[in-house]
Amino acid sequence: MSGALALRGARLPGGGLIGSVLAVAVWEIVARLTAQSFFIAAPSAILLHMTEHAGLLWRALGVTLWAAFRGFVWGNLAGVLMALLVVLLPRGERLISTLALLVFCLPLVATGPILRVLYGPGDGPQVTLAALAVYYTTFLPVLVGLRAAPQGWFDLVRSYGRGRMVALREVRLPAALPYLVAGLQIAAPAAFLGAMVGEFTGAERGLGVLTVRALRALDLPATWSIAVITSAVSVLAFAAVGWAGRRLDLAPPQVLLAAPGQARRSAWQGPGEALLALGVTLALWKGTMELFALPRFFAKRPEDVWAYMVSGPGAEAHRAKLFAAMGETLAFAAPGYLAGLALGAGLAVALTLAPRAAAFTMPVAIALRSIPIVATAPLIVWALGRGAAGTIAVVAVMIFFPTLVACLHGLARTPRAVLDLFEVYAAGRWRRMLGAQLPAMLPAFFASARMAIPAAILAVTTAEWLATGRGVGALMATVASTSDYGMLWSAIALIGLAAVLAHGAVVALERVVLARTNAEQLAR
């Protein structure tokens, strides 16, 4: 199958050696020609730096890897458990999904320092941020997989007098395994990135600490050396998860024989679930602050934010300032979000039609995703300018890789019987793609579209924080340095609200589309 071939093309075979050598040669030439720009480090300079500082780099790599591994395990475990909970308790989906989204949307400029205060010395923030970077990207694909089975199979289980647990064990879990592999492949680079970001908040050791030092010293070879190491580790982790998935011989599903019957929803059910999610979110927000006895000076409660933005003195000025910054942020986040989705899905289709191109394309895609955004954002903005192009490019780079991986796996899940039918009628590659593979990809695409919402927020706020000096990201960095924590927490709340509204819009569109193409995903 062409989808499976595209995934197998990501094994980085030796056939790509010539292309890799040519790419390195071009890299060396471009770096030497642009040496005065202080933008690209030559491979020879990178190799020299890595040789001279091998001991330091190895020790830092070990520290970051250990934190990333623990975050990877805990984050993916949390994502799988949440997906199982949603399937077993479908009425709790709105609440669980909303809480998961809100936590995943917390901006790094705010969460990093707060975690450092909570944990104190040690690697707690690194492990936590690594876990936070992966749980949502595993939760959504696994949830899609747990629902990727025809209703007739569940009817068969019920006809034998069995319940939800038997259906989970015999039907849902086998169907979800390929999607779990997709989630783990996305999570592998993300966990390493999350651990490095945690080290930016005041750690004493690790690659993140070396990255901060290199950026402050404008040490280009050191910065690029760390980027090469993180890319290599992420490529190996991605390939290892893919290898393990192939060993499981994950065959595509049989043809889906029947669409599920749709349960009628009360007109009040949606608003009621939304209000419940809002109430639980506010209770957890306030309860967490009180439980840890965090001082109100920097740990604002919901009522503090309400007073700052609505009922307190200066609220009108505060709202005007925050809404203006948020408007500018959304103006860049939206086109970057759409561009990243289009690039990821389009590249997945292209690699499925031409799987040999994956040998060169996938390492580049993984490298772009694994290099820390705090390093790439200033470089991209420097190259493309501080206007719309630079910020949109940063957002698109962050989004396209998870979308690419999810869509590749979705294309590979096209039922064999459907493909055989197209073969019988001698349908061409494009006809097969449009009639069979793209519909099979849609659940994975919409899952990646939901994953991309917090990723877009992370990317745009980081670019504004480190490079452009505009928007809500720059505003949060400024008010954090001046201890205006009322504005900081108000910005966090507004970002969370925007993410929930965007997520709701994507879910509404998803339900309309999947009702026609993948109705089993709508069963509850």
Side-chain angles (χ1 to χ4, degrees):
M1 286 171 33
S2 56
L5 289 175
L7 294 177
R8 293 179 181 178
R11 296 182 190 177
L12 312 182
L17 180 60
I18 296 178
S20 299
V21 171
L22 291 176
V24 171
V26 172
W27 180 0
E28 180 78 25
I29 294 172
V30 172
R32 292 182 179 274
L33 292 176
T34 60
Q36 300 301 318
S37 66
F38 299 102
F39 177 62
I40 301 177
S44 56
I46 296 172
L47 181 60
L48 178 62
H49 178 87
M50 295 175 67
T51 303
E52 292 178 346
H53 301 85
L56 175 63
L57 292 172
W58 273 110
R59 290 192 297 272
L61 176 61
V63 171
T64 305
L65 269 178
W66 176 232
F69 174 76
R70 286 179 288 164
F72 179 83
V73 172
W74 288 112
N76 284 300
L77 181 61
V80 171
L81 290 177
M82 285 192 300
L84 292 173
L85 190 61
V86 167
V87 169
L88 294 175
L89 300 173
R91 292 185 180 274
E93 179 178 1
R94 175 70 66 89
L95 175 61
I96 296 171
S97 298
T98 300
L99 292 175
L101 176 66
L102 288 173
V103 173
F104 197 65
C105 286
L106 293 176
L108 296 178
V109 66
T111 54
I114 292 174
L115 288 174
R116 183 59 63 183
V117 171
L118 291 176
Y119 282 105
D123 59 0
Q126 295 91 293
V127 177
T128 301
L129 285 179
L132 291 176
V134 304
Y135 80 92
Y136 196 70
T137 60
T138 301
F139 164 63
L140 290 181
V142 171
L143 182 58
V144 170
L146 289 171
R147 293 171 173 166
Q151 184 66 21
W153 293 357
F154 300 109
D155 294 338
L156 181 62
V157 171
R158 283 193 293 270
S159 71
Y160 282 92
R162 305 298 182 179
R164 287 180 178 268
M165 296 306 298
V166 173
L168 177 66
R169 183 179 70 248
E170 301 297 334
V171 178
R172 294 192 187 276
L173 289 179
L177 197 54
Y179 295 87
L180 173 61
V181 172
L184 295 179
Q185 283 192 294
I186 297 171
F192 197 75
L193 173 61
M196 289 188 65
V197 171
E199 292 168 348
F200 298 151
T201 63
E204 297 179 354
R205 298 180 298 166
L207 288 177
V209 176
L210 297 184
T211 301
V212 172
R213 293 176 182 174
L215 289 172
R216 288 176 177 174
L218 298 179
D219 190 342
L220 203 60
T223 302
W224 277 81
S225 296
I226 297 170
V228 169
I229 292 172
T230 59
S231 300
V233 170
S234 298
V235 168
L236 291 175
F238 180 89
V241 174
W243 176 86
R246 288 191 296 274
R247 298 285 74 77
L248 296 175
D249 191 23
L250 304 175
Q254 299 295 323
V255 63
L256 303 184
L257 299 176
Q262 294 295 305
R264 292 186 177 181
R265 292 169 59 90
S266 167
W268 297 98
Q269 183 174 347
E273 291 175 347
L275 288 176
L276 176 62
L278 175 61
V280 173
T281 301
L282 295 176
L284 288 175
W285 177 359
K286 183 175 177 62
T288 302
M289 300 298 181
E290 299 296 344
L291 178 64
F292 290 98
L294 298 178
R296 300 186 82 105
F297 172 70
F298 83 92
K300 301 298 183 183
R301 278 62 166 174
E303 60 268 26
D304 298 327
V305 172
W306 178 264
Y308 187 87
M309 293 293 294
V310 179
S311 61
E316 184 177 355
H318 298 157
R319 289 197 304 271
K321 184 176 182 180
L322 179 56
F323 290 165
M326 192 66 183
E328 185 170 6
T329 295
L330 293 178
F332 293 142
Y337 171 81
L338 296 176
L341 288 179
L343 180 60
L347 187 57
V349 171
L351 293 181
T352 302
L353 295 173
R356 292 185 179 181
F360 174 76
T361 306
M362 290 303 294
V364 176
I366 299 169
L368 288 174
R369 180 63 176 87
S370 59
I371 299 174
I373 189 174
V374 294
T376 56
L379 294 178
I380 293 175
V381 172
W382 183 92
L384 299 179
R386 296 165 63 91
T391 306
I392 291 173
V394 172
V395 177
V397 166
M398 278 291 292
I399 287 175
F400 94 96
F401 176 72
T403 304
L404 168 64
V405 175
C407 290
L408 279 175
H409 278 268
L411 289 167
R413 307 314 298 161
T414 308
R416 282 200 181 104
V418 175
L419 292 175
D420 291 342
L421 181 63
F422 277 79
E423 290 293 336
V424 167
Y425 285 93
R429 291 184 302 170
W430 277 105
R431 180 61 181 165
R432 185 174 60 214
M433 173 64 68
L434 295 175
Q437 291 172 297
L438 280 181
M441 184 194 79
L442 287 175
F445 171 77
F446 278 108
S448 64
R450 285 183 277 160
M451 282 190 286
I453 293 171
I457 293 173
L458 166 64
V460 71
T461 54
T462 302
E464 292 169 341
W465 167 30
L466 296 174
T468 67
R470 299 191 302 271
V472 74
L475 176 63
M476 286 191 295
T478 301
V479 298
S481 63
T482 59
S483 300
D484 187 357
Y485 291 109
M487 179 63 76
L488 178 62
W489 282 93
S490 299
I492 294 173
L494 186 59
I495 287 174
L497 178 61
V500 169
L501 292 176
H503 185 270
V506 172
V507 169
L509 178 61
E510 178 184 29
R511 293 187 65 85
V512 171
V513 174
L514 296 189
R516 298 176 60 88
T517 61
N518 306 83
E520 77 282 350
Q521 290 293 328
L522 305 181
R524 295 296 183 265

